[in-house]
Amino acid sequence: MLPDGEEREPESSEEGGAAGEERRPERHGSTYHSLYGYCRPSGHGAAPGDGSAAETPAGEDFSLSLLDTNLPVEAETELRSFLAKRLTKGALFEGMGNVVSVGLSIPEHKVGCYYCRFQQENLLEMATLESDINAPEYVVCFLGGSEKGLELFRLELDKYIQSLKINLDLEQKTLEMSVKPHLSSWFENAICPIQRVVQLFQEKLAFLLHAALSYTPVEVKNADERTEKDISRFLAAASLQGLVQEGTMTSLCIAMTEEQHKSIAIDCAGPQPQLHNAGSNRFCEDWMHAFVNGAEGGNPFLFRQILENFKLKAIQDINNLKRFIRQAEMNHYALFKCYMFLKNCGSGDILLKIVKVEHAEMPEARNVVTVLEEFMRETSVA
C-alpha cells in the first residue's frame, strides 16, 4: 500500500483551516519521525526543484538512505515511496517544509506529514566556496495529528529544522547523542509549548495575552530553560507580528520598553507563576476562558487554533476602529461610534495605543485619537 496523496497535490486545508472557524478537536495519537540521507549521483547537477528530474525514474536520479526512524518497517517503506515520487516531481525545495496527509500501515492509518529537504549547515559554506564539493543533503519527516493540525505549526517546524541542521553530523556518535534525541522530541519541543503554557498559567493566561497584544516587555525569573522558552514562544505566537504594519510594531515595542513601569515580571519559583505589574482587559479574559476550557481535551492543535482565532478577532477590531476613525475625521456622530466601540470591545486600551502609533503622522486622524484618549480617561476616572 502506498501513501495517500502521492499521485495528487496535497488536499486543500480550507475546511477548518481558516482562523475564526470552529474546528472539531482532533486526537494526535502517536508521533513518528524519519531522517534520510539524500544523494544524487555525480554528474547529475540538477537539483530537485528545478523540474529536470521529473522525466527520469526516481531510482536513477537519487537515493534515500535511512538514518533514523521510529516507524514500523512496512510504514517506513511506504513513506520512502511517497518521498521518492515527491522528489521525482521536484516537489522538495531546500529548507522549505511542506505539510500533507499520508496513509501508512500504522494504527492511525492516516496522519499529517511535515517533510523538508535541507543541507548540513557547517558544510554548506564550503560547498558554496568550492564548486566541486557537494554539501550533504537530508530529508526529514515528522508525522502526527492531521494535515490541518500540522499546517498550523509549519513555521515552528521550519525553525526546528534550522536547529537540526546545526547539530547534524553523519558521525554515528553525533547521530546517537544529539540528532536522535532531537528527532524523537520534535512534537514536545515544536508543537506542545502553547499547551504547556496554558496548563501552567490557567486563569493568569489573560495577562500573557494582554502582554503579547500590547508588546509589553516580559521578564521571566526562576524558571527552567524549557519553561522560559515556552513562555517566549507563546508570546511570539500570540503577538500580531506580521499582521500589523512593521513600523507600528517597532514603535509599540520602543514605546512599551521606554515605559519601564509597564514591564511584566513573571516569577516561576513556586508551583504557580506569580506576575507583577501585569495588566489585562475584558477581551483577554474572555479568550483566556476559551483556552482554559479547551485544556480539558489536552489537544495542542486546538490551542493553536484558538490562538489564531484570538489574533484574527484582534485584527478585525483594529480594522473596524481605523474605519471609524476615518469616518470621524468628517463626522462627529462617527466620533461617538468610535468611543462606543472602544468602550464595548473589551480591548480599547490596546487598540487605542496601536492606532495612535499608526496615525502619528496623520494630523486629522491624530486629533480624533487625542479626543478618544480624553473620553476614555474620563470614563475610567468616573
Side-chain angles (χ1 to χ4, degrees):
M1 180 180 70
L2 295 178
D4 292 345
E6 62 183 20
E7 295 295 341
R8 64 183 187 275
E9 291 303 308
E11 296 174 2
S12 169
S13 297
E14 288 180 4
E15 181 186 351
E21 295 181 11
E22 293 295 325
R23 297 181 70 237
R24 290 192 299 272
E26 62 177 43
R27 295 178 60 84
H28 61 262
S30 302
T31 61
Y32 306 91
H33 67 269
S34 276
L35 176 67
Y36 300 93
Y38 170 64
C39 179
R40 293 191 306 276
S42 58
H44 288 250
D50 65 1
S52 61
E55 302 298 325
T56 312
E60 294 180 15
D61 263 333
F62 58 82
S63 65
L64 288 172
S65 54
L66 181 64
L67 299 178
D68 188 51
T69 189
N70 64 342
L71 278 168
V73 175
E74 185 180 354
E76 189 279 317
T77 303
E78 294 162 357
L79 178 63
R80 200 186 309 202
S81 175
F82 164 77
L83 290 173
K85 287 187 178 273
R86 291 278 162 175
L87 285 164
T88 303
K89 294 176 180 178
L92 271 77
F93 296 92
E94 200 279 328
M96 295 176 60
N98 297 271
V99 177
V100 295
S101 184
V102 296
L104 301 173
S105 299
I106 51 176
E108 293 80 4
H109 175 59
K110 199 166 188 177
V111 293
C113 173
Y114 168 93
Y115 61 97
C116 183
R117 179 172 70 89
F118 65 96
Q119 293 179 291
Q120 192 172 326
E121 186 73 21
N122 59 345
L123 295 181
L124 189 56
E125 248 183 65
M126 291 175 59
T128 304
L129 295 173
E130 302 182 38
S131 57
D132 58 332
I133 295 179
N134 287 323
E137 293 188 80
Y138 305 90
V139 177
V140 68
C141 295
F142 296 136
L143 303 101
S146 72
E147 176 185 346
K148 297 180 181 101
L150 282 189
E151 183 62 43
L152 292 169
F153 288 91
R154 190 169 55 82
L155 294 178
E156 282 85 349
L157 291 169
D158 284 346
K159 290 179 182 177
Y160 199 69
I161 296 298
Q162 293 300 315
S163 58
L164 179 63
K165 288 170 68 172
I166 296 170
N167 293 322
L168 192 56
D169 194 311
L170 274 178
E171 291 182 13
Q172 192 62 30
K173 184 179 178 182
T174 307
L175 189 65
E176 290 289 340
M177 296 179 61
S178 179
V179 177
K180 285 189 176 183
H182 197 84
L183 291 169
S184 59
S185 60
W186 73 270
F187 193 83
E188 284 294 313
N189 290 336
I191 307 298
C192 293
I194 293 173
Q195 180 183 36
R196 288 195 293 265
V197 168
V198 172
Q199 292 170 339
L200 177 63
F201 281 81
Q202 297 292 316
E203 284 79 8
K204 294 178 180 178
L205 191 73
F207 299 116
L208 276 192
L209 293 171
H210 189 271
L213 281 187
S214 60
Y215 302 94
T216 304
V218 174
E219 181 184 359
V220 181
K221 303 176 181 178
N222 302 314
D224 57 72
E225 185 180 358
R226 190 177 81 165
T227 300
E228 191 167 352
K229 284 184 177 179
D230 284 352
I231 294 172
S232 176
R233 288 172 180 171
F234 182 91
L235 290 168
S239 77
L240 300 182
Q241 185 172 5
L243 299 176
V244 298
Q245 296 176 22
E246 188 175 342
T248 299
M249 184 186 69
T250 303
S251 298
L252 277 170
C253 289
I254 293 172
M256 296 307 292
T257 302
E258 287 174 349
E259 296 181 39
Q260 291 299 326
H261 64 284
K262 293 285 187 181
S263 298
I264 296 173
I266 301 176
D267 190 345
C268 296
Q272 272 278 309
Q274 300 299 315
L275 291 90
H276 306 281
N277 299 326
S280 185
N281 57 32
R282 183 161 43 84
F283 179 81
C284 294
E285 286 165 7
D286 289 345
W287 280 97
M288 172 271 294
H289 289 297
F291 280 100
V292 172
N293 293 338
E296 298 173 5
N299 177 5
F301 299 112
L302 177 62
F303 291 120
R304 185 50 186 263
Q305 186 62 58
I306 295 173
L307 198 58
E308 293 303 314
N309 294 346
F310 162 78
K311 295 196 294 184
L312 177 63
K313 185 62 173 71
I315 287 294
Q316 289 174 340
D317 285 349
I318 290 170
N319 290 336
N320 283 333
L321 178 58
K322 285 158 73 172
R323 189 176 72 250
F324 289 145
I325 288 174
R326 285 196 299 270
Q327 294 171 357
E329 291 175 13
M330 300 172 288
N331 186 315
H332 287 294
Y333 177 68
L335 180 63
F336 178 71
K337 283 172 63 178
C338 279
Y339 167 68
M340 292 306 296
F341 177 79
L342 285 170
K343 187 177 178 182
N344 296 325
C345 71
S347 193
D349 58 331
I350 294 175
L351 298 187
L352 205 51
K353 284 180 181 177
I354 292 174
V355 296
K356 182 178 181 180
V357 169
E358 286 198 359
H359 294 89
E361 304 300 323
M362 303 164 63
E364 292 182 355
R366 190 175 66 238
N367 291 338
V368 173
V369 172
T370 301
V371 173
L372 289 172
E373 283 182 313
E374 289 292 331
F375 282 166
M376 295 297 285
R377 268 197 296 269
E378 290 173 6
T379 304
S380 63
V381 171

